[in-house]
Amino acid sequence: MNETLARAPQMPVWGSLAQSAAAPEPIQAPSATPSWRPSITIAPTRDQRRARPRLFYAIVAVSGVAAIFIAKLLLSVALSQGAYESSHAESELKHLQQNAQAVGEDLDRVKSPQYLAENAAALGMVTNAHPAYLRLSDGAVLGQPQAADSATGGAGNAVPNSLLTGVPLVTDPPPAAAEPAAKPAEKPATKTHKTTDAAATAGAAGTTEAATAAGAGVGPAGIPTPVTH
Amino acid sequence: MKFGRSSRRRSLFAMVALLALVSVFVVRLVDIQIVRADELNAASLAARSTTEDILGARGSIVDASGKVLAQSVMRYDVVISPKNAKPFEREVDGKDATVSVAQASAELGRALGMSGESVQAIIADSLKDDPDSDYAYVKKMVDLATWQAVDALDIQWVYGEGHPSRTYPDGAVAGNIVGFVGDDGEALAGEEAAADKCLVGKDGSTSYQTGVDGVEIPGSTTDSVAAKNGGTLKLTIDSDLQWNVQQALAQQAQAVGAAWGTAVVQEVKTGKLVAVADYPSVDPNNIDATDAEDRGSRAFTASYEPGSTFKALTAASAIDAGVADPLTQVVAPYRINFPNGADINDSEYHGDENLTLTGVLIESSNTGMSQIGEKLTDQQRYDYYKKFGLGTETEADFPAQDPGNLNGTPDSWDPQTKYATMFGQGLTTTAVQIASVYQTIANGGVRLPVQLVEGCTQEDGTVTDVPSTKGEQVVSATAAKQTSDILEMVYQQGWLANVWNIPGYRVASKTGTAQMPDGNGGYSHGYLVSVSGFAPADDPQYVVSVSLADPVNMNTSGAAAPIFKQVMSQVLKKYRVVPTDTAATQLPANW
């Protein structure tokens, strides 16, 4: 202790420290000390100085905690935002799956043998009950080719399929084909006047535009009817 | 020290009271945290969470090429809440407008294809029954487009409920085989019922916590049971060929006024049924349009006396047993009275004919066949029947199959039956069994199990229900070949030679005209006419077997022959069977 006291005045920095910086040194001597000699403070040892709380660490710790809180908050916001997005995307997925199924059903229906056969018959095709083959390697005709007679297979489809009720054949006149396209247009029309007006305007503007608008209105519910010019 | 004693007593009392209080708390804590923990957790979770069912869809039924014959689809039941059916506000063009019940009903009715009045009647009726009625169906099972139209109306007291349903894109094509399900999804007929275990799905569920707006709270999925979709059942049927066969059968059956008919196409070298047609045939999309007895497949479920197509079996058996060959000679009179009392006659009067076995089949002589057949013992013939697969259900997995009736065992056959069974009377078989008999003869005497299903593929790729393909030698290859040669002579020289002729191909076939039972132990005036055969005879690929019951406008097998020809040529065309220019082995019919 004595040694410390004796050594203190020899420290070159202490005077300026007390006057200019006036840092709140906890062990600094009160200013009321007589001026005939410099105030004496206990100079901290190296260990003591090291043990002092440092502002830097405090700032790091506090800002770290704050950063964690903010990150957590942002993460939660992002997560719940994601939950809304995912919920929205899921309902859209469900909607699209429903539509895909409905369109797939339409496709399966028109792929049925009955529909193909009826269309083929409507186009004037008949089955030939006399198979014959042309061999490409030597041009030989295998079997006994005979012209198909219209007697077989011409009587129309005899295998029922209730799913095909009302589905037009390829040979049916276009107006019949345009009819299903017009039906879904009622759907938006009942909801808002705006759509009705738009449809009416389009109708007045010309049949082609009206047909296109109606065709677009079908949306994913059914196969859009192609507009032929 | 009286002070000390009293204070000690007080502190003791306080301690005891405290202890008691603490122990009450501890008991309560243990009760809540440990004893009833699960129950309370579940209750609290239930209050916060939503449970959603995940649909495990019923599997599809597809044909041999993978084309869908039956699949699950979602339909929608449109439901209203009658007690809430009141005028409501709806935003139209940016402004709120009041929509009356009548107007909403009219809009709803238009979307559903019914009148607004009938919608209002539904509301009124359910309110009459129960003034607090909150649930009434307006229309069940509407499709997606209709439901979307209803949904777009934005009527607050109308909502939709998903209703899993079944659709059959090909309608009546293979409807007899595919079968159908009821409104509640219960499998009722055909493969839908037979393969229900393969097709049925298992519903799953998931529960999660939701916020006020019903959106899932992230990471809150508490309990999730995955749904399992049903497997895909693949049939051996080819839908395009099936249509052709049904079409040919239906047109001819209508033309000749047949009560019903069947046509079966079987692949010779695999035993696969590629087409099984029935007339009339059910459209599974609309089963009410078909009479109840016509909704199945008679090819599997109705046995009948096959008649003369059966003579091929007796001939093959006799040749295999070594008691006859294609040139075995008999004298065939119009009528024979056998020593055991049996009285056998042919269908038309003729004088005594010197016929070979080949000639017996060409002329389809019952008296001739009886003389060949009696070279075998009854037991021998019965054993051949069993080996050909008669009297037992076929291997194909089909519900309510008719095993056929061999009239007991040879011991119980009466004298007439002993002979009648040689030419296909006095016993019954199904159409598929007869096709299988011809498959055996065409396949060098090896009978293959009848296949209708190729297998069931589960979602994870495992394939089950794969049928056996292990064949059984029923008659020797020589006997089968000689029988085939005889049948080729029948095709060339039989009385229908010009009707069933398919130029360029070698065909083996046989007609049958069987008397049909009248249901009282005797025979009616109706006939079951049939043609069975296979082609090409030099390398058999396909068996075609056609039967028509009671064709009132043409009471002979000539009624079935055009179907046989049309179906057989379609089969040969479809499977690219190339015509051959080899000639058939000529066998004499007479001696």
Side-chain angles (χ1 to χ4, degrees):
Chain A
M1 188 69 172
N2 271 343
E3 196 184 72
T4 315
L5 279 173
R7 239 174 41 193
Q10 291 163 6
M11 287 183 74
V13 291
W14 70 274
S16 65
L17 192 83
Q19 280 158 18
S20 59
E25 290 288 327
I27 48 172
Q28 197 178 348
S31 54
T33 2
S35 57
W36 51 270
R37 60 174 183 131
S39 57
I40 298 168
T41 50
I42 301 166
T45 62
R46 192 179 278 266
D47 286 344
Q48 274 174 325
R49 254 184 294 149
R50 198 172 290 150
R52 269 186 209 161
R54 294 198 184 164
L55 196 59
F56 175 71
Y57 291 129
I59 290 170
V60 166
V62 169
S63 56
V65 168
I68 289 170
F69 270 121
I70 290 168
K72 174 86 173 83
L73 195 68
L74 289 177
L75 201 65
S76 302
V77 169
L79 262 178
S80 41
Q81 183 61 32
Y84 282 94
E85 275 170 24
S86 123
S87 160
H88 179 73
E90 261 169 40
S91 73
E92 196 179 327
L93 176 71
K94 201 171 157 189
H95 186 70
L96 291 174
Q97 278 172 340
Q98 285 172 342
N99 286 332
Q101 190 195 61
V103 176
E105 264 183 72
D106 280 348
L107 194 60
D108 281 338
R109 183 165 56 209
V110 298
K111 256 163 66 180
S112 68
Q114 291 98 324
Y115 191 64
L116 290 177
E118 276 176 7
N119 276 317
L123 291 167
M125 299 169 83
V126 293
T127 338
N128 190 343
H130 304 286
Y133 295 84
L134 179 64
R135 192 160 60 203
L136 291 179
S137 57
D138 58 354
V141 174
L142 307 173
Q144 297 172 21
Q146 287 183 22
D149 48 356
S150 54
T152 55
N157 175 43
V159 186
N161 187 353
S162 62
L163 295 182
L164 292 175
T165 316
V167 180
L169 293 178
V170 283
T171 50
D172 284 357
E179 201 182 277
K183 203 173 78 180
E186 297 171 9
K187 180 174 71 180
T190 48
K191 197 173 183 182
T192 62
H193 288 312
K194 212 177 261 175
T195 326
T196 323
D197 291 345
T201 324
T207 45
T208 323
E209 283 83 353
T212 320
V218 174
I223 298 172
T225 316
V227 181
T228 46
H229 297 277
Chain B
M1 289 309 261
K2 60 182 177 184
F3 249 48
R5 180 173 299 173
S6 130
S7 93
R8 217 173 15 222
R9 206 185 300 145
R10 248 203 324 251
S11 63
L12 189 75
F13 177 76
M15 229 154 73
V16 168
L18 199 66
L19 246 158
L21 197 65
V22 166
S23 55
V24 165
F25 283 153
V26 166
V27 166
R28 185 75 179 137
L29 187 72
V30 168
D31 181 42
I32 289 174
Q33 289 286 7
I34 297 169
V35 179
R36 292 196 295 149
D38 289 344
E39 185 192 331
L40 291 171
N41 276 339
S44 93
L45 201 62
R48 285 172 290 147
S49 69
T50 306
T51 301
E52 207 171 85
D53 286 338
I54 307 170
L55 181 73
R58 189 176 172 82
S60 300
I61 300 179
V62 300
D63 82 344
S65 63
K67 188 176 186 309
V68 172
L69 297 174
Q71 66 181 342
S72 293
V73 290
M74 192 53 89
R75 292 288 180 264
Y76 303 86
D77 293 340
V78 179
V79 184
I80 52 172
S81 167
K83 72 170 181 185
N84 291 320
K86 297 186 177 100
F88 63 96
E89 299 278 306
R90 186 166 62 185
E91 193 181 315
V92 175
D93 218 4
K95 282 173 283 182
D96 280 354
T98 307
V99 182
S100 69
V101 174
Q103 189 193 339
S105 300
E107 288 173 1
L108 182 61
R110 194 160 58 231
L112 293 173
M114 50 203 280
S115 70
E117 287 75 39
S118 55
V119 176
Q120 283 180 290
I122 292 170
I123 299 173
D125 286 350
S126 37
L127 285 178
K128 200 171 69 188
D129 293 343
D130 173 15
D132 274 339
S133 169
D134 197 16
Y135 194 91
Y137 288 113
V138 182
K139 198 169 185 181
K140 282 187 168 188
M141 309 260 265
V142 301
D143 63 12
L144 180 67
T146 312
W147 165 242
Q148 283 174 339
V150 170
D151 197 31
L153 295 174
D154 211 12
I155 302 172
Q156 287 165 4
W157 36 271
V158 173
Y159 53 100
E161 287 180 344
H163 188 154
S165 174
R166 211 72 175 141
T167 185
Y168 304 87
D170 282 2
V173 172
N176 54 336
I177 298 300
V178 170
F180 45 84
V181 299
D183 274 354
D184 53 357
E186 185 198 359
L188 295 180
E191 285 302 323
E192 289 271 30
D196 194 41
K197 228 169 77 185
C198 158
L199 295 167
V200 77
K202 200 162 164 286
D203 287 352
S205 67
T206 181
S207 47
Y208 48 83
Q209 298 176 34
T210 55
V212 179
D213 49 6
V215 171
E216 179 181 351
I217 295 172
S220 68
T221 305
T222 50
D223 194 16
S224 187
V225 181
K228 184 185 156 295
N229 289 331
T232 300
L233 185 77
K234 191 172 191 179
L235 303 182
T236 57
I237 301 288
D238 181 284
S239 61
D240 284 340
L241 182 69
Q242 175 81 17
W243 176 80
N244 270 291
V245 177
Q246 282 186 241
Q247 172 82 0
L249 176 68
Q251 283 183 338
Q252 181 69 3
Q254 283 161 8
V256 299
W260 54 267
T262 63
V264 178
V265 183
Q266 191 180 20
E267 200 178 354
V268 168
K269 288 168 183 172
T270 60
K272 287 178 181 172
L273 296 168
V274 289
V276 180
D278 276 275
Y279 169 84
S281 189
V282 65
D283 177 356
N285 296 304
N286 183 17
I287 53 174
D288 293 337
T290 311
D291 291 337
E293 71 265 25
D294 294 334
R295 290 178 192 166
S297 175
R298 285 193 173 90
F300 281 107
T301 61
S303 67
Y304 52 85
E305 295 181 48
S308 301
T309 50
F310 200 79
K311 284 173 182 157
L313 187 154
T314 307
S317 308
I319 297 171
D320 183 61
V323 298
D325 62 54
L327 303 179
T328 300
Q329 299 171 348
V330 292
V331 177
Y334 167 65
R335 180 182 295 276
I336 300 183
N337 287 303
F338 284 97
N340 75 349
D343 174 12
I344 303 300
N345 64 289
D346 283 344
S347 58
E348 279 173 31
Y349 182 78
H350 59 81
D352 291 358
E353 288 176 337
N354 295 343
L355 298 176
T356 61
L357 174 56
T358 309
V360 166
L361 267 88
I362 293 172
E363 301 297 328
S364 201
S365 164
N366 294 341
T367 56
M369 202 70 236
S370 301
Q371 294 173 63
I372 302 285
E374 71 176 352
K375 293 174 190 283
L376 296 165
T377 66
D378 294 341
Q379 187 61 44
Q380 268 181 309
R381 286 192 292 118
Y382 180 82
D383 292 343
Y384 276 114
Y385 298 163
K386 296 297 275 187
K387 278 166 77 182
F388 270 104
L390 307 182
T392 46
E393 293 180 13
T394 70
E395 298 81 355
D397 188 18
F398 197 83
Q401 271 196 71
D402 189 335
N405 184 354
L406 296 183
N407 229 329
T409 53
D411 310 329
S412 57
W413 290 349
D414 63 28
Q416 190 72 13
T417 303
K418 282 184 204 281
Y419 284 93
T421 48
M422 296 173 192
F423 47 88
Q425 302 271 184
L427 51 76
T428 67
T429 62
T430 62
V432 173
Q433 284 174 334
I434 287 296
S436 180
V437 167
Y438 277 76
Q439 181 273 328
T440 309
I441 294 169
N443 193 36
V446 178
R447 181 181 182 277
L448 294 170
V450 177
Q451 289 182 42
L452 183 59
V453 168
E454 282 193 5
C456 167
T457 311
Q458 291 296 340
E459 251 189 328
D460 57 7
T462 53
V463 181
T464 55
D465 300 332
V466 178
S468 155
T469 52
K470 196 175 165 292
E472 192 201 342
Q473 192 84 39
V474 175
V475 293
S476 69
T478 321
K481 175 74 175 71
Q482 289 183 347
T483 311
S484 171
D485 289 344
I486 295 173
L487 293 174
E488 230 182 317
M489 291 298 106
V490 177
Y491 167 76
Q492 287 187 355
Q493 298 172 28
W495 70 281
L496 290 169
N498 293 325
V499 181
W500 61 24
N501 184 32
I502 306 171
Y505 289 95
R506 286 175 59 182
V507 180
S509 54
K510 178 75 191 85
T511 55
T513 309
Q515 285 183 284
M516 287 170 72
D518 60 4
N520 301 316
Y523 285 111
S524 68
H525 293 295
Y527 287 89
L528 187 132
V529 300
S530 60
V531 175
S532 294
F534 50 88
D538 40 344
D539 179 21
Q541 303 286 334
Y542 291 94
V543 169
V544 173
S545 180
V546 178
S547 314
L548 288 177
D550 199 11
V552 289
N553 302 335
M554 188 195 256
N555 224 340
T556 67
S557 47
I563 308 175
F564 177 82
K565 174 188 169 162
Q566 217 177 321
V567 169
M568 186 58 98
S569 62
Q570 182 63 34
V571 168
L572 297 172
K573 202 159 58 176
K574 176 174 175 68
Y575 294 105
R576 301 285 184 267
V577 179
V578 177
T580 44
D581 36 19
T582 57
T585 315
Q586 292 298 320
L587 299 167
N590 303 96
W591 53 276

